[in-house]
Amino acid sequence: MKKLLMLMVLGVFLLTGALLWASGDGQEQEEYDEDTYGPKDPIIWVKPVKSVVFEHKVHTMQGGLECDSCHDDLFEMEAGVAEENEDFTMKTLYEGGYCGACHDGSTAFASNTRCTACHIGARGQARLLGADGATEKTH
Amino acid sequence: MKIDDLEKMESEDVSSLSSVERRNFLKIGFAVTGMYLGGSVLSLVSVKNAHGASASGVVPELGKYPYNPHYSMVLREKLCIDCERCKDACVKTNNVPSYGFRTTILEKRHSLGEDKYETIFVPVLCNHCNRPPCVRVCPTTATWKDEKTGIVVMEPSRCIGCKTCMAACPYNARYFKEEARTVDKCDFCFQSRLSKGVMTPACVEACPADVRVFGNLADPASRVSQLVHSPETMVWVLRPETGAIPNVFYINS
Amino acid sequence: MKGNNTTTMPTSSVTVPGNKLMWLSLFLIFIGVAGAVYAQVIGHHHAFANTREMPWGMLIGVYAYFAIVSTGLCLLAAFSHAFGGNQMAPLANRMVWLSIITLLGAFTVIGLEIENVWRMPLGVILHPNVTSNIWWMGTLYGIAVGVMFLELLLILTKRYSIAIILGVVAAITEALANSNLGSVFASLQAKPFWYGSQLPIFFLSCAVLSGAAAIVMFTHFSHLLQRRQMATDTFQGLQTAGKVMVLMTFLVTLATVWKFINAYASNDEMIMAADSLFKGPLAINFWVFEIGLGLVLPGLLLAITRLKSISVMTAAAIMVLVGQFFSRFNLVVSGQIIPSDYGFVGVPQYLPYTPTVSEYLIVVAGLGVVGFGFLIGERFFDETFRTSAH
């Protein structure tokens, strides 16, 4: 009787474990495809100000945008080109340029709201780059 | 009481309140609900914070400023994006060594439920308190409040390096600068700029988002005065419970 | 060597072991000062573990420790001298000397700790700040050491009636200096775990406790060094010091208990600071050394043995003195250990602090000064220490 009980308990554990493992595996399987969704690593702009983050994943895989939604009208496909433009400023965004094309308050949150959603700052950049700028020791 | 009598009484709704009364009322409401500070700001005692703010008011009344010019800074917190241009400008202007800072940016997270949170960057600097604990404790009066401007200044040649002012400061605004053999701190760029006729601190000039507003609080026409005295604006300070009466104010509008 | 001992020349017996110990204490002072010079050359921000957020560390604790021992000795000496007829009177002259040398030990440590000590003598005179506790503390301790030297001179030249007056003046000055030392911490609103009106009184209680312990220990050491039988009145004096220790271990324990109950009835910052001692990074320092070794064990030992054994009393005295050392360290660190910006991203709950070699060396310098002073006293003032006349 005792043995049977033990076996049942063990069985339940194994089954649960397998299910959990399988579900974990399932999530893993939905792989991020860079050809479909764009570069996996976040883009960090440091001009004109430190530091603004853009994640393709959020906009394509999660947001449902296509590559040609932004490329090459709003942004050159080549990394770092927008950053060099004189007009890569908040003012241009407010006038509908670059991110401002969607971030206008109707399609997506307006460019003059929720600053820190994209502006991760020097601290956020340091964190993304691995150097844990947040725990820097000060004298 | 009859209905007629009720009608004769002064209305209790907000429309009949003066703006100051309305503001005080709002403060109490925020204090009670704990929303006043949008969580805890530096202080770990949010209730005490709220009380200190609503009971005595963190912004002195107009015309009750002990200095003229009474220099102060208003930080429009939500606009800060931690680009740290202010820090860089401060370092350059005031020869701040790599291990120290006169002003810096802190980061806090405001939970939006689940895994989501909002990031808030909080610029901090010397609060040039009206009742500065650092000044009280210095054994050699190496630091004092400038009689004209209210700026808390340092005289390096008097500093013996006992670091009591560093322990006494509620705002972590002081550090020991080994090169100069003195405690160093923000002086609103008094030495590097104001005294030479440039009327803004370097950090204010460098800020691209207009977060830092500097000016004379005693002048009702000044932008700082108008920002902290506009009735709709919530104004808070850091660690009001220490009784230091800071002159750096935080707003979100 | 033992054959050299004579009863007519009691000072000669101390020469040989005393000489060795004196060289040892001079060596301690030397390496301590060498450590301090090294720290000054490479900069305190490299040599010490202190940071912007934790500007004070072990050395401030050790300074307070020596100053508190000094105050205790001075107070007990004045009581014994002024009221006479009590059993501690035979110890009083030694207490005056020990009070002086522990204060000099304190000055050594603080002098080597602060960054620009050379600016201090003129600075505190030319630019005094009467609202500064540090200023009062320094000034009053400075006056006290001067008054005590004068008192010692009068005792040595047997002008006892003026010496008593100076002893009382010194005791009052030391008590005021000591409570200002307490208020250096206790008046800082920015550090809630220090803040409060009872800390200066707590310091005075610790002063009486550690002063009593110091006189027991040093008197016993003196007898060991001089290879001398203890006179009955001296032993009875030490028993009275032992009674003071029993009473004060109890009172200081009680004060500590209430301090914690109050902290746990307070806000988050107070609770976290109390936790740092109770179960956090300072827990071993607190439970094992400050409470167990420093208060409970000596208190129990003294009570159980009913002050019959000089060895047990000395053991208890050493325990108290070690415990008090940790108590000062714990106080200094626990007051600053919670970051003022706790709750912001990347800010730890507890700031790290582990003293460096340089800091330990400066402590060694302080101990060297006290040891050297003790031996000087044995060599030159032995006769005075053995007389209770005043």
Side-chain angles (χ1 to χ4, degrees):
Chain A
M1 187 63 199
K2 248 186 183 172
K3 259 188 184 169
L4 190 70
L5 206 69
M6 285 269 282
L7 274 172
M8 277 173 68
V9 171
L10 201 67
V12 169
F13 268 122
L14 281 172
L15 196 68
T16 328
L19 280 172
L20 282 172
W21 187 74
S23 66
D25 199 38
Q27 275 179 351
E28 285 291 307
Q29 270 172 1
E30 200 191 329
E31 279 216 346
Y32 186 85
D33 177 15
E34 292 205 335
D35 290 334
T36 318
Y37 297 129
K40 192 180 179 186
D41 288 339
I43 301 218
I44 300 174
W45 290 301
V46 293
K47 287 182 202 167
V49 296
K50 286 189 284 190
S51 301
V52 180
V53 73
F54 174 84
E55 291 196 64
H56 277 97
K57 188 177 170 183
V58 174
H59 291 84
T60 53
M61 198 167 108
Q62 290 166 16
L65 292 176
E66 305 292 331
C67 302
D68 59 13
S69 305
C70 305
H71 300 299
D72 280 312
D73 295 342
L74 294 168
F75 288 95
E76 294 278 337
M77 194 78 92
E78 195 185 337
V81 170
E83 218 174 350
E84 298 301 326
N85 293 344
E86 283 274 302
D87 68 343
F88 193 51
T89 63
M90 292 307 293
K91 188 164 178 281
T92 312
L93 266 58
Y94 300 154
E95 289 159 0
Y98 299 111
C99 320
C102 298
H103 284 284
D104 55 1
S106 52
T107 313
F109 71 84
S111 300
N112 62 354
T113 61
R114 298 183 54 192
C115 314
T116 58
C118 312
H119 285 273
I120 59 171
R123 298 177 60 92
Q125 184 184 4
R127 201 159 38 231
L128 271 186
L129 296 180
D132 201 349
T135 56
E136 69 209 1
K137 192 188 174 208
T138 50
H139 278 273
Chain B
M1 196 185 284
K2 289 179 180 161
I3 294 289
D4 295 357
D5 296 333
L6 260 180
E7 279 176 356
K8 280 177 208 152
M9 287 182 67
E10 203 180 56
S11 163
E12 279 187 358
D13 78 24
V14 286
S15 64
S16 64
L17 290 173
S18 76
S19 63
V20 175
E21 276 177 316
R22 179 155 48 195
R23 191 166 154 208
N24 285 336
F25 176 73
L26 268 174
K27 276 183 185 169
I28 295 164
F30 279 117
V32 169
T33 54
M35 272 177 63
Y36 188 80
L37 294 167
S40 67
V41 182
L42 264 193
S43 173
L44 298 150
V45 278
S46 47
V47 174
K48 211 168 165 188
N49 250 347
H51 170 77
S54 65
S56 55
V58 296
V59 186
E61 279 174 47
L62 267 173
K64 288 198 175 169
Y65 293 103
Y67 305 93
N68 195 359
H70 186 114
Y71 285 127
S72 80
M73 194 178 287
V74 177
L75 294 159
R76 302 161 77 212
E77 187 182 84
K78 259 201 166 147
L79 300 178
C80 180
I81 51 171
D82 184 37
C83 68
E84 302 197 352
R85 281 188 185 180
C86 51
K87 278 184 81 167
D88 297 343
C90 177
V91 165
K92 261 187 215 149
T93 311
N94 301 303
N95 296 317
V96 179
S98 59
Y99 56 83
F101 60 83
R102 287 182 174 202
T103 182
T104 193
I105 312 288
L106 300 175
E107 179 183 8
K108 66 178 171 180
R109 281 177 187 169
H110 181 212
S111 174
L112 301 174
E114 291 169 36
D115 295 340
K116 288 178 183 162
Y117 59 83
E118 178 190 19
T119 296
I120 299 155
F121 294 114
V122 186
V124 290
L125 68 160
C126 171
N127 280 247
H128 299 278
C129 310
N130 282 2
R131 232 187 270 154
C134 53
V135 169
R136 179 184 71 77
V137 300
C138 178
T140 52
T141 53
T143 187
W144 64 87
K145 256 184 110 61
D146 180 59
E147 277 178 23
K148 268 184 101 173
T149 60
I151 292 175
V152 177
V153 291
M154 274 296 299
E155 170 49 54
S157 69
R158 285 193 200 172
C159 177
I160 63 168
C162 67
K163 303 181 182 172
T164 315
C165 55
M166 288 162 66
C169 175
Y171 303 106
N172 189 18
R174 290 169 168 266
Y175 71 99
F176 193 83
K177 187 174 177 181
E178 297 278 340
E179 294 85 345
R181 304 215 65 89
T182 181
V183 167
D184 189 46
K185 66 178 287 298
C186 160
D187 63 352
F188 279 156
C189 285
F190 186 72
Q191 214 178 14
S192 51
R193 292 166 66 100
L194 297 194
S195 63
K196 292 170 185 165
V198 187
M199 293 326 282
T200 53
C203 59
V204 174
E205 193 181 80
C207 181
D210 197 20
V211 174
R212 294 171 183 249
V213 183
F214 174 79
N216 174 13
L217 211 49
D219 172 12
S222 72
R223 193 163 160 229
V224 279
S225 175
Q226 287 176 352
L227 282 174
V228 297
H229 288 295
S230 94
E232 301 79 29
T233 307
M234 261 319 131
V235 183
W236 69 93
V237 297
L238 306 180
R239 297 192 77 180
E241 79 281 2
T242 64
I245 315 181
N247 282 307
V248 169
F249 303 97
Y250 292 79
I251 61 174
N252 260 337
S253 47
Chain C
M1 279 295 147
K2 264 185 181 174
N4 287 349
N5 287 356
T6 61
T7 43
T8 47
M9 291 274 292
T11 44
S12 66
S13 66
V14 77
T15 312
V16 172
N19 261 344
K20 281 185 187 160
L21 286 172
M22 201 168 280
W23 282 114
L24 176 69
S25 61
L26 281 174
F27 176 69
L28 294 184
I29 296 172
F30 174 77
I31 59 165
V33 172
V37 169
Y38 164 79
Q40 192 65 263
V41 169
I42 66 159
H44 283 183
H45 67 314
H46 292 302
F48 294 170
N50 296 110
T51 57
R52 172 187 189 123
E53 288 80 12
M54 193 175 289
W56 288 345
M58 179 169 70
L59 294 178
I60 298 296
V62 175
Y63 161 71
Y65 171 73
F66 282 135
I68 282 173
V69 174
S70 168
T71 300
L73 287 162
C74 184
L75 282 175
L76 292 171
F79 266 83
S80 309
H81 273 148
F83 297 118
N86 69 44
Q87 293 190 323
M88 273 206 284
L91 313 175
N93 289 346
R94 172 174 275 118
M95 288 200 268
V96 173
W97 174 245
L98 290 176
S99 178
I100 292 172
I101 60 161
T102 43
L103 199 47
L104 293 180
F107 287 163
T108 306
V109 173
I110 197 76
L112 298 176
E113 195 271 348
I114 65 173
E115 301 262 1
N116 310 314
V117 68
W118 56 90
R119 287 179 187 161
M120 193 176 67
L122 268 186
V124 293
I125 295 166
L126 294 180
H127 313 290
N129 183 3
V130 293
T131 62
S132 163
N133 295 112
I134 291 261
W135 186 85
W136 282 105
M137 176 194 74
T139 306
L140 290 167
Y141 269 132
I143 292 171
V145 81
V147 172
M148 282 193 294
F149 263 121
L150 212 56
E151 183 194 0
L152 185 75
L153 198 71
L154 293 171
I155 292 173
L156 290 172
T157 55
K158 304 189 193 319
R159 278 176 277 187
Y160 296 120
S161 51
I162 316 174
I164 289 175
I165 296 170
L166 287 187
V168 173
V169 171
I172 292 170
T173 314
E174 279 245 6
L176 292 178
N178 189 283
S179 33
N180 266 292
L181 169 59
S183 187
V184 165
F185 302 99
S187 66
L188 302 186
Q189 271 263 18
K191 302 284 186 284
F193 201 56
W194 286 339
Y195 186 78
S197 57
Q198 298 309 309
L199 190 63
I201 306 303
F202 178 78
F203 271 23
L204 276 174
S205 308
C206 291
V208 176
L209 170 63
S210 39
I215 192 61
V216 170
M217 186 184 81
F218 280 118
T219 306
H220 191 196
F221 281 2
S222 159
H223 283 75
L224 293 176
L225 198 67
Q226 311 269 12
R227 301 201 181 109
R228 180 186 292 147
Q229 281 291 315
M230 192 174 282
T232 317
D233 63 340
T234 306
F235 182 66
Q236 284 170 344
L238 293 186
Q239 282 185 312
T240 305
K243 284 178 202 166
V244 172
M245 280 165 66
V246 176
L247 176 65
M248 295 319 293
T249 47
F250 177 68
L251 290 186
V252 170
T253 307
L254 209 56
T256 309
V257 169
W258 283 116
K259 164 102 185 141
F260 273 79
I261 290 175
N262 239 36
Y264 282 120
S266 183
N267 57 46
D268 283 355
E269 190 171 354
M270 290 283 276
I271 290 168
M272 287 199 302
D275 274 348
S276 74
L277 293 160
F278 203 82
K279 57 184 183 193
L282 296 168
I284 291 174
N285 274 358
F286 178 68
W287 287 114
V288 178
F289 291 100
E290 179 175 344
I291 299 298
L293 190 72
L295 293 170
V296 176
L297 200 56
L300 286 177
L301 265 182
L302 291 170
I304 289 166
T305 60
R306 305 197 62 76
L307 311 168
K308 290 276 193 314
S309 157
I310 180 68
S311 305
V312 171
M313 281 204 289
T314 304
I318 293 171
M319 288 179 194
V320 164
L321 288 171
V322 171
Q324 286 293 297
F325 189 97
F326 277 90
S327 176
R328 298 299 89 81
F329 179 93
N330 292 346
L331 175 107
V332 169
V333 177
S334 64
Q336 308 165 79
I337 201 167
I338 311 298
S340 65
D341 45 8
Y342 174 67
F344 284 89
V345 176
V347 177
Q349 182 180 8
Y350 293 124
L351 293 167
Y353 173 74
T354 314
T356 59
V357 175
S358 295
E359 290 174 74
Y360 279 109
L361 286 178
I362 292 174
V363 177
V364 166
L367 292 171
V369 167
V370 175
F372 185 70
F374 167 68
L375 295 168
I376 290 280
E378 289 307 303
R379 178 163 295 192
F380 297 107
F381 310 136
D382 183 52
E383 198 149 344
T384 308
F385 290 165
R386 287 191 299 140
T387 50
S388 57
H390 48 267

